[in-house]
Amino acid sequence: MSNGKVTVLDVQKAKEEGRKLVMCTAYDYPFGLLADQAGMDIVLVGDSLGMVVMGLEGTVPVTMEHMIHHIKAVVRGCKNPMVIGDMPFMSYNVSIQQAIYNSGRLVKEGGCEAIKLEGGVDFAPTVQAIVKAGILVQGHIGLTPQTASALGGFKTQGRDAIAAKKIVDDAKALEDAGVFSIIIESVPAPLGKLIAETVKVPVIGIGAGPDVDGQVLVTHDLVGLFDKFIPKFVKQYVQIRPVILEALTRYKQEVQSVAFPAPEHSFKMPDKALEDLKKMMKG
Ligand code: KIV
């Protein structure tokens, strides 16, 4: 990718040149910095933060204020990746005016370069209006976690021809509405491939097989920091949770046994200063 900030032009060029885009999530400064150092093209401040950071059952309760707070922190760590802020549930569903206003808040107050929202054909007019207002929009179709209950739960989408055709139509509608990229979640690999071949904008998959234009994963899943449930499409590259747990347990033991802090973690005071202090304290 380019040296410096990844732009919408770089993202489009990657598809044209057949270079896979790499995207992960981040919710705070340390992970923003790590994603930057790892050379991510795109970092998503996803509303998945509700589950993996805030301990909620789903993404529905996540608010605009939560999103702005976390986007600001990630942006400070991400010098090069394009940062995308996720529009939380009901921040764009009420009216087009509300959608433009809240997209503007993520960009203006959060400092991200683009926004993402869930929905296909039904949200094409909303996407078109946000794009017209000058904001880059990434679509999200297939399994849409904010409305997963309406889809019958966290299930693979587009398994039969009729359901698959609906997702193809969603992708085309989003492209026509002006998205710069589309995330497609939890669909059969051949459908992911077909959609990537059908639209000109980059299609980034999460559980959509290898033949799309790039991949995104929730970082807390891929590093094994969140293991309440592990979707089939997740690959855990490391299991960091047991490493952190062991460190915290050892810390507790060493504080209790006074093995910590050791001399190398403590500050010295000249003997004379200590004697003088004691004298002063005696009056
Ligand atoms: O919120 C999120 O992290 C997402 C990804 C799963 C794409 O939407």
Side-chain angles (χ1 to χ4, degrees):
M1 201 51 82
S2 66
N3 281 329
K5 196 74 175 170
V6 173
T7 69
V8 64
L9 299 179
D10 298 319
V11 171
Q12 184 58 42
K13 205 160 153 220
K15 173 154 185 158
E16 283 157 17
E17 294 178 353
R19 256 181 303 118
K20 297 284 187 192
L21 289 158
V22 194
M23 176 170 173
C24 70
T25 64
Y27 314 98
D28 57 22
Y29 174 71
F31 275 95
L33 209 54
L34 286 166
D36 183 86
Q37 286 172 2
M40 290 296 144
D41 298 310
I42 306 175
V43 171
L44 171 69
V45 187
D47 65 352
S48 49
L49 86 87
M51 286 174 289
V52 304
V53 172
M54 295 170 67
L56 299 168
E57 285 303 315
T59 57
V60 167
V62 174
T63 66
M64 281 294 295
E65 268 52 49
H66 295 146
M67 290 309 305
I68 290 168
H69 175 82
H70 287 272
I71 291 167
K72 278 181 177 171
V74 171
V75 163
R76 287 184 205 115
C78 284
K79 199 156 54 76
N80 289 327
M82 170 189 277
V83 178
I84 301 182
D86 216 357
M87 293 284 279
F89 183 57
M90 282 299 147
S91 68
Y92 57 97
N93 317 61
V94 176
S95 69
I96 286 183
Q97 200 181 10
Q98 178 218 28
I100 297 173
Y101 176 74
N102 282 328
S103 307
R105 282 195 69 198
L106 292 194
V107 173
K108 230 169 121 86
E109 297 175 43
C112 55
E113 279 86 35
I115 64 102
K116 172 173 88 60
L117 57 79
E118 295 181 9
V121 171
D122 294 343
F123 282 89
T126 305
V127 167
Q128 196 170 26
I130 299 171
V131 171
K132 216 168 157 196
I135 295 170
L136 290 169
V137 180
Q138 182 175 62
H140 183 160
I141 56 175
L143 174 61
T144 44
Q146 290 173 5
T147 46
S149 48
L151 300 171
F154 285 80
K155 290 192 176 130
T156 305
Q157 302 295 306
R159 280 186 185 274
D160 62 58
I162 292 172
K165 172 72 167 51
K166 253 187 104 256
I167 301 174
V168 174
D169 291 344
D170 283 338
K172 284 184 183 168
L174 288 178
E175 178 172 49
D176 290 344
V179 295
F180 76 95
S181 159
I182 298 171
I183 285 188
I184 179 154
E185 178 166 353
S186 209
V187 299
L191 177 59
K193 179 173 191 283
L194 196 67
I195 291 176
E197 286 166 356
T198 301
V199 296
K200 290 199 173 63
V201 294
V203 172
I204 298 181
I206 171 162
D211 299 314
V212 285
D213 305 307
Q215 299 291 330
V216 57
L217 280 179
V218 168
T219 295
H220 288 47
D221 288 340
L222 84 89
V223 300
L225 191 51
F226 181 80
D227 54 10
K228 219 163 146 187
F229 59 88
I230 303 164
K232 176 181 162 66
F233 55 70
V234 167
K235 178 169 177 179
Q236 274 191 345
Y237 285 83
V238 63
Q239 288 195 341
I240 206 68
R241 196 178 173 281
V243 177
I244 296 173
L245 184 60
E246 205 219 313
L248 290 173
T249 308
R250 277 182 48 213
Y251 167 62
K252 181 187 170 192
Q253 287 162 352
E254 290 196 2
V255 169
Q256 289 174 333
S257 67
V258 202
F260 175 83
E264 64 269 29
H265 308 118
S266 305
F267 301 102
K268 292 195 175 97
M269 185 176 184
D271 292 346
K272 170 87 172 65
L274 185 58
E275 272 168 34
D276 289 350
L277 171 65
K278 284 181 180 168
K279 275 186 211 151
M280 281 162 71
M281 286 173 69
K282 276 187 194 148

